[in-house]
Amino acid sequence: MAEPSERQDPLPGIRAVLAVASAKGGVGKSTTAVNLAVGLGLRGKRVAILDADVYGPSLPRLLGLRGQPETQRDGKLKPMTAHGVGCMSIGFLVEEATPMIWRGAMVMGAIENLIRDVAWGDLDVLVLDLPPGTGDAQLSITQRIPLTGAVIVSTPQDIALIDTRKGIAMFEKVNVPILGLIENMSTFVCPSCGGRSDIFSHGGAREAAAELGIECLGEIPLHLSIREASDAGTPIVLGAPESAEAAAYGKIVDRLIEKLDAALGDAARKAPPIVVQ
Ligand code: ADP
């Protein structure tokens, strides 16, 4: 298989592309992607997020964005902006409730157009909220977009973890470094009494990550405030920055910054030297 650098045109002005993936839907991938993106922005990074989840584009809602992006004179779309983060989503172009049947090739075409026809400007990180799953569409994205690294979001349930292994295998196949696993909907924290219970069990991702030789970047509790903040369009890292939930995301963001820098360093070392004759 070809090295990514041989197959993919770099995205001009974009230093790192971080894919947020999950083996199945409903595990909190988009919620995590948005909180990581806004969290990176809060740490001074220039960030944008692309909603590649064409089956269920939810980023406009999670970021409280409405309306449609403007088209610039050069024909490129201007990303919408919320909370300091640029955003582009197929959800701006079609209604969220519109059922869409996409075949693999259509998904790739739509995402490639979105990513290359948007005037992102200079970015430290472009976060890519991938469609859930590990099928052809996802594989095609990982092959055709120059990803710096990927994080996989999973619930602690065993069944989800079996699928998660497929996700890990997919990135390994195309030489995209897996920066780590995030256990979402980990311990449930009762909003009334603060009591903790492990509804979907707990720590499964940490164990699986250790077994698979990848890092567990952190555990995000299952907490009503995370859902409420998302629905209100202000991710919890901004809506309640002092909360334990925001701190859990913050810890992951700090580690991701280190890991993205390391991945960029590795990629630079692996790149063939340019010889000027
Ligand atoms: P996915 O992108 O994997 O399909 P979403 O991010 O849309 O999942 O999340 C599914 C639902 O779960 C949403 O209603 C979201 O607000 C909620 N949710 C996600 N993570 C958490 C969490 N840690 N605590 C509470 N609710 C969460």
Side-chain angles (χ1 to χ4, degrees):
M1 173 144 329
E3 287 289 320
S5 56
E6 289 170 37
R7 320 184 238 107
Q8 300 156 341
D9 296 333
L11 299 166
I14 300 179
R15 189 163 173 259
V17 184
L18 171 69
V20 181
S22 67
K24 60 175 202 171
V27 300
K29 172 183 50 61
S30 297
T31 306
T32 306
V34 163
N35 276 289
L36 295 181
V38 175
L40 284 163
L42 289 173
R43 278 152 176 77
K45 301 288 174 194
R46 294 163 303 173
V47 190
I49 185 162
L50 174 65
D51 195 351
D53 190 349
V54 290
Y55 301 110
S58 55
L59 294 196
R61 185 169 42 87
L62 298 183
L63 286 165
L65 283 168
R66 273 156 198 252
Q68 290 194 328
E70 286 169 34
T71 308
Q72 299 187 153
R73 277 215 195 126
D74 61 4
K76 291 205 167 199
L77 286 172
K78 241 176 105 175
M80 312 271 282
T81 308
H83 316 306
V85 170
C87 176
M88 184 50 66
S89 170
I90 204 101
F92 294 135
L93 312 171
V94 296
E95 291 291 318
E96 190 180 348
T98 309
M100 278 194 285
I101 302 163
W102 297 82
R103 282 180 291 112
M106 288 164 70
V107 173
M108 193 53 227
I111 292 166
E112 232 182 356
N113 287 348
L114 271 187
I115 207 164
R116 299 208 185 262
D117 293 347
V118 171
W120 295 108
D122 289 332
L123 293 178
D124 293 309
V125 187
L126 175 64
V127 177
L128 203 61
D129 183 15
L130 289 181
T134 52
D136 286 352
Q138 292 78 4
L139 184 65
S140 168
I141 296 169
T142 58
Q143 283 171 321
R144 306 228 328 242
I145 291 173
L147 302 176
T148 310
V151 295
I152 298 176
V153 180
S154 171
T155 65
Q157 282 165 300
D158 278 347
I159 185 73
L161 291 171
I162 293 164
D163 293 339
T164 299
R165 282 161 214 255
K166 283 193 224 155
I168 292 168
M170 175 178 81
F171 287 111
E172 282 175 347
K173 201 163 148 192
V174 291
N175 296 324
V176 172
I178 296 163
L179 306 183
L181 200 61
I182 296 173
E183 180 170 293
N184 188 38
M185 306 192 187
S186 196
T187 300
F188 169 70
V189 185
C190 172
S192 311
C193 69
R196 303 166 78 88
S197 42
D198 294 334
I199 293 183
F200 296 134
S201 109
H202 168 239
R206 193 166 287 278
E207 279 163 29
E211 206 180 291
L212 295 160
I214 59 174
E215 183 170 333
C216 180
L217 293 166
E219 291 156 7
I220 306 294
L222 176 65
H223 199 285
L224 181 65
S225 60
I226 294 180
R227 208 266 304 144
E228 283 179 342
S230 288
D231 284 351
T234 305
I236 193 137
V237 291
L238 258 189
E242 307 299 332
S243 64
E245 295 73 56
Y249 285 114
K251 228 173 105 193
I252 295 174
V253 168
D254 287 336
R255 184 67 186 130
L256 268 180
I257 292 173
E258 290 171 5
K259 294 211 78 167
L260 279 172
D261 280 343
L264 286 167
D266 284 349
R269 274 189 294 280
K270 275 189 209 151
I274 297 168
V275 181
V276 182
Q277 292 182 322

